[in-house]
Amino acid sequence: MGKFFDDIKPQHQAFISAQKMFFVATAPLSQEGHVNQSPKGLDSFRVLSPSRVAYLDIVGSGNETSAHLVENGRITFMFCAFDGPPNILRLYGHGYTVLPGDPEWPELSAHFSLLPATRQIIVADIYKVQTSCGFGVPLYTYTGERDHAAKWAASKGPEGLELYKAEKNRISLDGLPTALGK
């Protein structure tokens, strides 16, 4: 029932724009390494072109996505319809991390409302798009965004956030360096 496309079509972009959350998945090359899958929200995803996307990434307890992208670049995004007609959309790509201070930062960051907890921007060049039925995805009602990240970042302050990133976001669970640890 799945359909494949070489790039992001206008109907895919419209579906992506209507979703309140998405999932990102990456993995190290090692079979013993941890596969990472993370939910994301906060109006943080942008389609930059039919073959390029980016999302604003905030400070978290780990930085597995960045570590895996440094090592091998593989990334998959998944969007699910939690209301309306059932649908699942996956974007398969090769990605990389852009940090504040990198040459691409000014251009990319202009696409987002930066948050106090902004850590980096993940960019991916998409080589395959897949849609599938989504019949098994339950219906949910969106009631709003959580404010925990903003409150947490405010309590840390700029210096505290930098210390936290240095302690928790430079190395993956498997000991791989992230873009912050290079």
Side-chain angles (χ1 to χ4, degrees):
M1 291 203 294
K3 295 180 183 174
F4 291 93
F5 305 86
D6 294 328
D7 57 12
I8 301 166
K9 305 297 183 199
Q11 68 269 23
H12 302 145
Q13 185 169 354
F15 176 72
I16 289 167
S17 295
Q19 303 316 303
K20 300 295 185 191
M21 69 178 296
F22 63 96
F23 301 86
V24 59
T26 58
L29 294 175
S30 168
Q31 290 183 339
E32 290 79 36
H34 294 82
V35 175
N36 184 59
Q37 184 179 38
S38 297
K40 306 291 181 185
L42 302 173
D43 186 33
S44 61
F45 194 91
R46 300 292 183 270
V47 175
L48 303 176
S49 78
S51 61
R52 181 169 271 204
V53 300
Y55 77 88
L56 184 72
D57 188 56
I58 62 172
V59 176
S61 56
N63 199 2
E64 302 305 297
T65 300
S66 181
H68 297 157
L69 294 180
V70 167
E71 184 192 43
N72 62 62
R74 298 177 304 162
I75 190 166
T76 300
F77 300 96
M78 184 177 74
F79 298 83
C80 300
F82 292 110
D83 59 8
N87 190 24
I88 297 172
L89 183 134
R90 291 180 182 89
L91 304 174
Y92 299 95
H94 294 99
Y96 60 96
T97 303
V98 177
L99 299 173
D102 286 352
E104 287 181 83
W105 184 264
E107 178 187 343
L108 288 169
S109 65
H111 293 278
F112 302 96
S113 296
L114 298 182
L115 304 169
T118 296
R119 172 173 55 191
Q120 58 206 6
I121 296 173
I122 302 296
V123 179
D125 294 312
I126 303 303
Y127 63 85
K128 185 183 293 188
V129 176
Q130 179 192 23
T131 59
S132 57
C133 68
F135 293 167
V137 176
L139 293 169
Y140 283 98
T141 301
Y142 175 76
T143 60
E145 298 288 345
R146 297 178 192 265
D147 63 358
H148 293 74
K151 288 178 179 177
W152 177 81
S155 74
K156 288 276 185 201
E159 289 177 13
L161 285 170
E162 290 305 314
L163 289 170
Y164 185 88
K165 288 189 293 187
E167 181 183 339
K168 304 277 188 182
N169 291 174
R170 298 175 72 81
I171 303 290
S172 76
L173 290 171
D174 301 314
L176 299 172
T178 71
L180 292 169
K182 290 188 340 183

